[in-house]
Amino acid sequence: MRNSKQVMRSPDPGLPQGGRISAAGSAALSQRKTLGQRLLENWQLYALLAIPVILTIVYKYIPMYGIQIAFRDFDPNLGYLGSRWVGFDWFTRFFKAPTFWRMMKNTVLISLFGLLWSFPVPIILSLIINQVRFAKFKRVVQTVLYAPHFISVMVICGMIKIFLSPTGGLLNLILGTQIDFLTHSEFFRTIYIASGIWQDAGWGCIIYLATLANVDPGLYEAAKMDGASVFRRILHIDIPELMPMVILNLIMAAGGIMNVGFEKVWLLQTDLNKATSDVIAVYVYQQGIEQAKYSYSTAVGLFNTAINIVLLIVVNRVVSKASEVEFV
């Protein structure tokens, strides 16, 4: 009887006096649940999660099986495993190609110059738009800036050719010249980067505007009361708020340095501007699709991807040490 009373008095370790479940007790109870129980309780969420996971596996991971053809002399009739293994022969052939260094130089320079000039533009636009207090005017400005993003690359390239036409082109009319800019290799990088800024800068500032929308208005009011100018408020409130997102975008951009947009280069490229427009992405298309050299083009594409991965890791390490923010 004494033992039974003692048992009756001892409360459940996860339940405090009165039968109410505390936060710690609730966490302890949830930890006791098996994986199957948790799956049954939240099956709707896991069902929604399963869709993108399955799509990612099917379209991203399963195709990686085909990367092995970069190390084989692939013959479609023999299949992956039946084709002869050649190791790094295709990579060696690419490194010895006459245009290898030119393609590397053009790819890196276009990407670096594009990153240097286009990366700060969305940040500056977002800081300026955030200071606009007229709601209707702000919406109009945002719409005008976003619109070019929804124009297809083919249409953009057609517009560029019309604007730069030596006969009746807008730029030549302004300058009073008759220059065919697309036939001069020294103009290609400027045309490519400037058109990219015009097309994507407005769209790129959306994420920064969303970040600035979360800033506590009380900070601005306090800064105004202390006599801080607009520049000071931007410098000490807006920019620190944007820094984590800026660092994340910088890391992601660095991981795609070797991924120069194939479509625009292909549509704007001519025989006369190949000195600066001949990039790896176009070379992969020419070798793999036009000449059906599947193993060789796969090896070139794998080499390009490997450089991107290395750059992503290096930039992430450098930036994380400099800013104490790490995302990858």
Side-chain angles (χ1 to χ4, degrees):
M1 191 69 179
R2 183 178 303 172
N3 293 335
S4 63
K5 289 182 179 180
Q6 291 177 353
V7 173
M8 291 292 290
R9 291 194 190 100
S10 60
D12 185 83
L15 294 174
Q17 294 294 335
R20 296 180 181 178
I21 302 177
S22 63
S26 177
L29 289 174
S30 63
Q31 290 177 358
R32 295 197 193 102
K33 295 178 181 178
T34 63
L35 176 61
Q37 290 175 333
R38 292 197 295 270
L39 289 174
L40 288 175
E41 289 182 358
N42 304 284
W43 68 269
Q44 299 95 335
L45 298 177
Y46 286 105
L48 291 174
L49 179 63
I51 297 174
V53 169
I54 292 173
L55 290 175
T56 302
I57 293 173
V58 171
Y59 291 104
K60 298 295 183 180
Y61 286 94
I62 293 179
M64 288 184 183
Y65 177 76
I67 292 177
Q68 62 177 296
I69 69 174
F71 306 95
R72 296 180 181 272
D73 186 8
F74 180 68
D75 186 345
N77 296 322
L78 299 177
Y80 291 119
L81 300 180
S83 300
R84 184 171 60 90
W85 182 269
V86 296
F88 291 93
D89 289 356
W90 297 119
F91 296 92
T92 303
R93 177 179 173 181
F94 175 57
F95 298 150
K96 293 181 179 179
T99 58
F100 170 75
W101 289 112
R102 185 177 74 177
M103 288 186 295
M104 287 291 296
K105 176 184 175 182
N106 292 336
T107 302
V108 172
L109 287 180
I110 290 176
S111 296
L112 287 179
F113 287 149
L115 185 63
L116 176 65
W117 290 105
S118 63
F119 186 78
V121 175
I123 302 172
I124 297 172
L125 283 175
S126 63
L127 293 172
I128 294 174
I129 294 174
N130 189 57
Q131 297 302 319
V132 177
R133 293 296 174 257
F134 298 100
K136 291 184 179 180
F137 179 73
K138 188 175 183 178
R139 287 196 295 267
V140 171
V141 171
Q142 288 177 305
T143 303
V144 172
L145 292 174
Y146 299 163
H149 177 77
F150 298 98
I151 303 175
S152 68
V153 176
M154 183 171 290
V155 175
I156 290 289
C157 292
M159 295 170 64
I160 292 173
K161 291 181 179 180
I162 293 173
F163 292 152
L164 302 180
S165 173
T167 57
L170 179 62
L171 186 57
N172 279 300
L173 290 176
I174 295 173
L175 298 177
T177 57
Q178 290 185 342
I179 302 174
D180 189 357
F181 292 95
L182 289 176
T183 61
H184 292 73
S185 59
E186 62 269 20
F187 296 135
F188 181 83
R189 295 190 188 112
T190 302
I191 295 170
Y192 181 92
I193 295 170
S195 61
I197 293 174
W198 172 69
Q199 185 178 10
D200 296 323
W203 184 258
C205 74
I206 291 178
I207 191 169
Y208 298 118
L209 287 172
T211 303
L212 292 173
N214 294 324
V215 178
D216 185 4
L219 295 176
Y220 294 117
E221 297 299 329
K224 289 179 181 178
M225 292 179 64
D226 291 338
S229 62
V230 174
F231 177 75
R232 288 290 182 181
R233 293 197 296 268
I234 292 174
L235 185 62
H236 296 288
I237 298 177
D238 292 343
I239 293 180
E241 187 72 21
L242 289 178
M243 282 310 297
M245 190 58 62
V246 171
I247 293 171
L248 174 61
N249 286 337
L250 178 61
I251 293 173
M252 299 303 294
I257 281 181
M258 301 298 291
N259 292 337
V260 176
F262 159 75
E263 297 88 350
K264 188 186 292 186
V265 175
W266 176 252
L267 293 170
L268 295 178
Q269 188 180 71
T270 64
D271 292 335
L272 298 176
N273 64 19
K274 279 192 173 182
T276 54
S277 66
D278 197 10
V279 296
I280 294 177
V282 173
Y283 186 71
V284 171
Y285 173 81
Q286 292 172 338
Q287 298 296 318
I289 303 300
E290 293 183 351
Q291 300 184 27
K293 298 179 180 178
Y294 305 118
S295 294
Y296 182 55
S297 61
T298 303
V300 177
L302 183 58
F303 166 76
N304 199 44
T305 303
I307 294 180
N308 281 331
I309 294 173
V310 172
L311 289 174
L312 177 66
I313 295 173
V314 171
V315 172
N316 177 64
R317 296 299 182 191
V318 173
V319 172
S320 63
K321 289 182 179 180
S323 62
E324 297 182 356
V325 178
E326 187 171 2
F327 292 96
V328 182

